[in-house]
């Protein structure tokens, strides 16, 4: 059932549920529906602060965040409505690379507490939820159909290829509203803003939510899941921690709010390479795909650098030509057979403990202390990315397939103006050992019996892949574990 508290004269005062989920973005919607379908004997309540249309100014202000020295387009990075930020996501999707599940020893980060093999059964149904036509990611399958779009890369070299796919993009609110409304054991309340959690010892006993002009609805449940997006989930947990110290576990973990990261781009320079390369969004059969260049697994493991990917975009402007090459057919780069490309890298950010969300003393209309975001970029990020560009340049030159020209310099001004991709990562990271993270491998806070998180805030290492596909797979995994099916996911 779907109930809008703004439109209901007599909203319920109290609901009892097996599971109460707060936040109806991709994580909350998928978890709620997966769980309700697998456990018809359970009652699920899904609380969503927004409605079915764009948030009002008054609702938007609830999300206001103070910023540290680094700029961040935080207002545009979230949407408070049914479907959450999928209301304006881009739909780029790709599972993390296998190497992204372990962190090099020198990083201050734990490995993922679940392996890719454990996540794998939930990736196929995650593609169904995100309406991606295929879950195959082998670039060689695309190469076999369109060889002219790919470079010839040495098999044991430092450069490999990977593939992205695309969701339409699915607007989870519009797409799954009917499913939420029609699910008999599920109550989805709109304009139900979570503002308080009641705690007895290490258990949450109830939460309270209300429309901005309405009276509170209290929800008692056996388990509670915060799926409010990476920033807001962290803010709720920091509010719940209150004045307690941060030298403990779970809610009192020193990691709560730290290691905030977002993916961002670096444009390293120009590339001269064979014409018609397809390392960018392109058509393959009836779908869109995006092959990219990335470090080979061996090179990544040997170097202990961050992961990164490189896109090439044809550049018709004459001044983009690497000096001296474009007009010199004698050097082996005849103009029509070789094109100039602009470059774009998506950098894997390294977890940085001082990049963090804290609370200010100001409060929003719901009475919750506001968040302050001090985003810091790890100094190793761009060095790793540029080292890969160096490797790529060497491969191009050694194989006679082109040249590059590096123009990027990691000046403080450049780093200060780097724009995030709106992925809120790392601030409630999960880890086996409570000393290394806030939550356990299911997303349960280490010191709480029944409080869980479903969000990219759980990621302890970030890779360069956009996070939503993995967020959805983790939500399906959690539903599957709770439903007692640990091996097979719904398809
Ligand atoms: C412009 C843009 C482009 C993007 N492009 C991509 C992309 O190409 N690929 C990709 O993978 N990701 C992309 N993302 C990121 C993607 O949108 C997020 O990863 C995804 O939406 C996260 O899902 P979520 O359910 O964790 O959080 P959200 O989608 O943020 O949902 C959280 C929900 O919680 C609700 N909520 C918050 N506070 C409360 C409260 N107090 N009470 C009740 N409800 C509350 C919100 O209203 C919202 O519905 C993009 C984001 C933006 C902004």
């Amino acid at each position: 059932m779907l109930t809008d508290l703004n439109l209901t004269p007599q909203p319920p005062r109290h609901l009892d549920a097996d599971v109460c989920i707060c936040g109806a973005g991709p994580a909350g919607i998928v978890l709620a529906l997966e769980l309700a379908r697998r456990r018809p004997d359970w009652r699920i309540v899904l609380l969503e602060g927004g409605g079915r249309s764009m948030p009002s100014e008054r609702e938007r202000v609830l999300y206001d965040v103070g910023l540290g020295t680094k700029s961040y387009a935080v207002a545009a990075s979230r949407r408070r409505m049914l479907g959450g930020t999928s209301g304006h996501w881009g739909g780029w999707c790709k599972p993390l690379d296998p190497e992204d599940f372990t962190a090099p020893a020198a990083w201050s980060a734990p490995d993922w507490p679940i392996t890719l093999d454990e996540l794998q059964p939930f990736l196929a149904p995650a593609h169904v939820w995100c309406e991606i036509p295929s879950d195959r990611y082998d670039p060689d399958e695309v190469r076999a159909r369109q060889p002219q779009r790919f470079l010839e890369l040495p098999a044991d070299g430092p450069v490999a290829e990977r593939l992205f796919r695309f969701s339409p993009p699915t607007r989870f609110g519009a797409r799954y509203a009917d499913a939420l409304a029609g699910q008999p054991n599920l109550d989805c309340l709109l304009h139900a803003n979570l503002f308080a959690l009641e705690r007895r010892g290490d258990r949450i006993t109830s939460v309270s939510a209300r429309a901005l002009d309405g009276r509170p609805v209290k929800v008692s449940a056996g388990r509670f899941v915060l799926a409010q997006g990476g920033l807001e989930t962290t803010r709720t947990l920091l509010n719940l921690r209150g004045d307690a110290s941060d030298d403990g576990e779970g809610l009192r973990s020193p990691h709560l709010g730290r290691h905030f990261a977002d993916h961002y781009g670096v444009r390293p320079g120009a590339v001269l390479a064979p014409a018609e390369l397809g390392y960018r969004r392109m058509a393959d059969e009836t779908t869109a795909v995006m092959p990219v260049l990335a470090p080979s697994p061996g090179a990544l493991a040997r170097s202990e650098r961050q992961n990164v990917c490189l896109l090439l975009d044809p550049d018709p402007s004459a001044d983009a030509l690497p000096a001296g090459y474009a007009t010199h057919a004698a050097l082996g780069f005849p103009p029509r057979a070789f094109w100039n490309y602009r470059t774009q890298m998506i950098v894997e950010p390294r977890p940085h403990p001082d990049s963090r969300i804290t609370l200010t003393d100001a409060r929003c209309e719901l009475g919750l202390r506001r968040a302050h975001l001090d985003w810091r970029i790890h100094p190793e990020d761009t060095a790793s990315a540029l080292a890969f560009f160096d490797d790529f340049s060497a491969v191009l030159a050694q194989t006679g397939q082109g040249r590059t020209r590096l123009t990027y310099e990691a000046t403080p001004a450049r780093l200060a103006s780097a724009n995030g991709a709106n992925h809120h990562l790392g601030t409630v990271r999960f880890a086996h050992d409570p000393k290394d993270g806030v939550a356990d491998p299911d997303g349960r806070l280490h010191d709480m019996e029944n409080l869980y998180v479903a969000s990219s805030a759980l990621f302890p290492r970030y890779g360069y892949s956009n996070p939503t596909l993995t967020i959805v797979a983790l939500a399906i995994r959690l539903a599957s574990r709770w439903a007692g099916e640990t091996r097979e996911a719904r398809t």
Side-chain angles (χ1 to χ4, degrees):
M1 206 162 56
L2 204 53
T3 306
D4 189 331
L5 295 187
N6 275 355
L7 306 175
T8 311
Q10 296 292 325
R13 281 174 184 263
H14 188 226
L15 294 171
D16 264 317
D18 294 282
V19 178
C20 175
I21 301 162
C22 304
I29 288 178
V30 172
L31 178 59
L33 283 170
E34 286 274 348
L35 206 48
R37 288 170 181 167
R38 287 162 191 262
R39 295 301 304 246
D41 54 326
W42 283 16
R43 187 162 183 212
I44 315 297
V45 170
L46 177 59
L47 300 173
E48 168 52 43
R52 293 183 73 155
S53 45
M54 288 289 282
S56 64
E57 185 55 27
R58 187 174 165 199
E59 287 171 320
R60 259 198 291 270
V61 167
L62 295 171
Y63 262 176
D64 277 358
V65 171
L67 291 180
T69 46
K70 168 126 188 55
S71 64
Y72 192 74
V74 69
S77 76
R78 306 180 282 173
R79 204 164 261 187
R80 198 178 180 99
M81 62 187 286
L82 181 65
T85 313
S86 76
H88 69 163
W89 74 314
W92 293 30
C93 287
K94 178 183 165 301
L96 292 161
D97 290 338
E99 300 72 34
D100 298 334
F101 286 78
T102 50
W107 299 22
S108 65
D111 294 344
W112 273 61
I114 55 177
T115 62
L116 178 56
D117 281 350
E118 285 172 281
L119 197 59
Q120 199 72 48
F122 310 105
L123 281 168
H127 283 75
V128 177
W129 282 104
C130 297
E131 302 178 292
I132 305 166
S134 165
D135 63 350
R136 300 176 72 88
Y137 285 86
D138 183 356
D140 284 343
E141 291 179 7
V142 184
R143 177 197 291 273
R145 289 184 283 272
Q146 310 192 57
Q148 78 285 4
R149 306 292 238 150
F150 291 81
L151 290 163
E152 292 300 326
L153 297 171
D156 53 355
V159 181
E161 286 149 343
R162 308 279 190 181
L163 198 70
F164 281 74
R165 291 190 175 274
F166 297 91
S167 167
T170 303
R171 309 290 175 213
F172 280 70
R175 173 69 181 81
Y176 297 114
D178 287 349
L180 293 169
Q183 184 67 36
N185 58 336
L186 191 157
D187 284 302
C188 178
L189 304 187
L190 301 181
H191 292 114
N193 296 286
L194 170 76
F195 66 92
L197 296 92
E198 276 172 39
R199 178 178 176 179
R200 194 176 308 135
D202 55 7
R203 288 189 70 77
I204 300 297
T205 53
S206 65
V207 297
S208 296
R210 67 174 173 86
L212 289 183
D213 290 318
R215 64 181 190 211
V217 179
K218 190 180 228 182
V219 185
S220 306
R223 304 176 212 212
F224 295 87
V225 185
L226 301 181
Q228 300 166 262
L231 290 180
E232 210 61 10
T233 294
T234 307
R235 176 182 171 217
T236 299
L237 289 173
L238 287 169
N239 269 280
L240 183 61
R241 177 202 274 173
D243 294 328
S245 64
D246 66 354
D247 55 356
E249 294 180 358
L251 203 55
R252 289 180 41 225
S253 164
H255 299 294
L256 177 60
R258 291 189 185 268
H259 320 287
F260 173 85
D262 195 347
H263 296 114
Y264 59 95
V266 162
R267 297 182 183 279
V271 166
L272 178 74
E276 289 186 50
L277 289 179
Y279 298 105
R280 62 197 166 109
R281 188 171 176 141
M282 64 175 213
D284 181 50
E285 297 186 302
T286 55
T287 67
V289 294
M290 187 171 78
V292 294
L293 295 150
S296 64
L300 206 54
R302 278 192 302 278
S303 67
E304 299 209 331
R305 289 182 206 139
Q306 280 112 290
N307 211 343
V308 62
C309 73
L310 172 66
L311 286 70
L312 303 182
D313 194 23
D315 184 352
S317 64
D319 64 357
L321 304 179
Y325 288 110
T327 52
H328 287 273
L331 288 172
F333 305 116
R336 268 186 296 280
F338 280 78
W339 286 0
N340 293 282
Y341 297 87
R342 292 192 193 100
T343 54
Q344 167 79 60
M345 286 172 140
I346 306 172
V347 176
E348 174 185 25
R350 188 188 286 199
H352 188 326
D354 296 335
S355 181
R356 65 187 294 203
I357 300 169
T358 51
L359 295 182
T360 69
D361 290 331
R363 289 180 188 267
C364 73
E365 187 182 338
L366 296 168
L368 294 164
R369 286 174 65 192
R370 288 198 182 279
H372 183 267
L373 172 61
D374 191 2
W375 178 27
R376 307 223 178 157
I377 288 181
H378 198 288
E380 285 299 318
D381 285 5
T382 42
S384 282
L386 297 182
F388 171 67
F389 192 66
D390 246 13
D391 287 346
F392 173 65
S393 306
V395 167
L396 267 192
Q398 283 158 12
T399 59
Q401 293 178 92
R403 293 287 190 275
T404 65
R405 185 175 58 180
L406 178 70
T407 52
Y408 182 88
E409 248 184 276
T411 59
R414 267 237 169 92
L415 291 177
S417 65
N419 284 323
N422 309 300
H423 307 154
H424 301 152
L425 306 161
T427 44
V428 193
R429 72 188 190 185
F430 59 178
H432 280 295
D433 189 334
K435 285 194 209 63
D436 292 332
V438 180
D440 78 0
D442 286 337
R444 181 180 61 82
L445 266 72
H446 275 296
D447 63 337
M448 300 292 294
E449 216 175 271
N450 64 345
L451 181 59
Y452 293 77
V453 164
S455 166
S456 52
L458 291 173
F459 297 9
R461 182 183 170 173
Y462 314 131
Y464 58 80
S465 304
N466 304 54
T468 308
L469 185 70
T470 304
I471 295 173
V472 170
L474 285 171
I476 304 169
R477 176 180 177 271
L478 186 60
S480 161
R481 286 174 69 76
W482 282 353
E485 313 163 10
T486 47
R487 300 207 46 197
E488 279 301 312
R490 166 189 160 279
T491 50

